[in-house]
Amino acid sequence: MLPVIQYTGAEGVLDLGWGHPDPTLLPVEAWAESTSEAIRAAGWTALTYGYANGPGPLIEWLTVHIGAIDGRAPSPDELFVTAGASQGLELVSTVLTRPGDVVLVDSPTYHLALRILTDRGVELRAAPTDAQGIDPAATARLVGDLRAAGRRVPMLYTVATFNNPSGASMPVPRRRELVDALDGVTIVEDDTYRELAYDGPAPPSLWSLASAGVVRLGSFAKTIAPGLRLGYLSAEAGFVRRLAGRGYVDSGGCVNHTSAMALAQFATTGRYEAHVSALREAYRLRRDALVGALRAAAPGVEFTVPAGGWFLWLGVPDAAAVARRALERGVGMSTGERFHVDGGGTRHLRVSFSMYGPTDLEEAAHRFGGSLKIGADQVRP
Ligand SMILES: Cc1ncc(COP(=O)(O)O)c(C=O)c1O
């Protein structure tokens, strides 16, 4: 049989290496109802070519919803519906960059964004970083040096809130400094995890703090389901007009119209709010279960408890060796280098608490702790 889905696990392995949702948390029934309600209510208009920026009912809901979850509400002309954050990044980087440009990225950062950007033929450089995240003054100096050497530096990509892989969020004063520091560099802010906040609301986005120069990518992959291929971006109205005017959009209409109509139904009937609030509770319990179990089973391993998102970023002496032995004990983990462009990450592992319930996570931590008790790079409490 030909494959249907991207990930299928190995027998007997608890795989914390993948940032995928638990199948039991996907809203199968509620989505099926929303789709059939949307198509019955909207009729053929749900199935024809859609309005370039995204269907009106979804854009209207997004203006109010983003106002509730972020520092400010966008106007309708600042919004564009995408086929997920990945497609948003592909589209925005296509508009902003040319092959040979330098694109700055935070470090560590979402590894598959690095793939999308590499496909553009750009050179990736890590923005200078300290304990609070990207260092605005040092980054501005780097941009100046690159430009003096004749390079174009059109964009910086960052996951500033509940970072994948580190779980860290940039403090608010640092956000303000960053949006003011970079002249002529568009900040592309990947805000995929904003709504999965477990200890109070997420900090305001860079986009909400800036008067110009930030494109924020949102996604429904983590809050509803990745298979929908739905997200949105907020940006200056002039930039949104550029995206909506591209031939690809002109030819196909909204990039995912029928699903966007179903999402409008899912959202405006209250299902979205109910679902995301249940997810927050479920993931908070999972985070706490994994944190507690790791502290007990692997007390020498350092990490910061993330206030949102899906990931813990574990400090270990030799990530490749530790990951290999953990796998032998039946736990999958991602090694840190793939989240860096500069060879960093050899002493970090990313683990995700999204795919399993608390009991499996406790078992995974137990197996991981067992794997640390052997070998030359043993982690000592
Ligand atoms: C930071 C980040 N951005 C984007 C994505 C992919 O989002 P989408 O499925 O909306 O393309 C992920 C998924 O893991 C992610 O962690």
Side-chain angles (χ1 to χ4, degrees), residues 19 83-87 110 112 157 159 164 190 192-193 218-222 226 229-231 310-311 350:
S86 308
Q87 189 265 335
Y110 174 48
L112 297 177
Y157 170 81
V159 190
N164 177 2
D190 185 334
T192 288
Y193 293 96
S219 173
F220 294 105
K222 315 297 171 177
R229 305 318 300 140
L230 267 176
W310 277 357
F311 306 105
R350 186 195 75 171

Side-chain angles (χ1 to χ4, degrees), residues 33-273:
E33 284 163 14
S34 301
T35 305
S36 84
E37 284 170 20
I39 291 177
R40 284 183 210 292
W44 64 270
T45 62
L47 295 177
T48 191
Y49 289 108
Y51 182 65
N53 300 51
L58 180 57
I59 296 277
E60 266 170 32
W61 175 78
L62 276 171
T63 58
V64 178
H65 179 66
I66 294 171
I69 60 165
D70 197 358
R72 79 174 174 89
S75 57
D77 60 358
E78 292 177 306
L79 286 169
F80 183 83
V81 171
T82 66
S86 308
Q87 189 265 335
L89 179 60
E90 167 94 359
L91 179 62
V92 168
S93 59
T94 300
V95 169
L96 290 176
T97 69
R98 303 200 291 250
D101 286 350
V102 175
V103 169
L104 302 176
V105 297
D106 51 7
S107 190
T109 198
Y110 174 48
H111 58 314
L112 297 177
L114 301 177
R115 288 278 321 282
I116 293 169
L117 293 168
T118 303
D119 285 349
R120 290 289 308 144
V122 299
E123 182 189 337
L124 299 179
R125 290 272 191 106
T129 297
D130 64 18
Q132 300 195 357
I134 292 175
D135 177 335
T139 302
R141 280 196 298 279
L142 174 62
V143 171
D145 292 348
L146 287 162
R147 285 184 178 152
R151 306 297 300 275
R152 269 174 37 102
V153 191
M155 79 175 253
L156 176 149
Y157 170 81
T158 178
V159 190
T161 303
F162 310 142
N163 178 279
N164 177 2
S166 73
S169 294
M170 182 183 279
V172 177
R174 178 58 69 91
R175 288 172 188 248
R176 292 188 198 283
E177 286 168 37
L178 183 62
V179 297
D180 288 341
L182 300 180
D183 225 11
V185 180
T186 301
I187 299 175
V188 179
E189 174 183 25
D190 185 334
D191 213 18
T192 288
Y193 293 96
R194 159 164 308 275
E195 293 186 65
L196 300 181
Y198 313 129
D199 302 329
S205 68
L206 298 166
W207 167 79
S208 75
L209 297 171
S211 53
V214 182
V215 177
R216 182 169 73 101
L217 304 175
S219 173
F220 294 105
K222 315 297 171 177
T223 49
I224 309 178
L228 304 179
R229 305 318 300 140
L230 267 176
Y232 58 89
L233 60 80
S234 53
E236 285 156 74
F239 187 77
V240 168
R241 271 197 302 279
R242 271 175 83 189
L243 302 183
R246 288 189 66 78
Y248 159 68
V249 180
D250 211 13
S251 174
C254 168
V255 299
N256 198 352
H257 175 64
T258 303
S259 298
M261 290 291 281
L263 173 52
Q265 182 71 13
F266 188 80
T268 56
T269 50
R271 291 179 176 111
Y272 184 82
E273 263 325 305

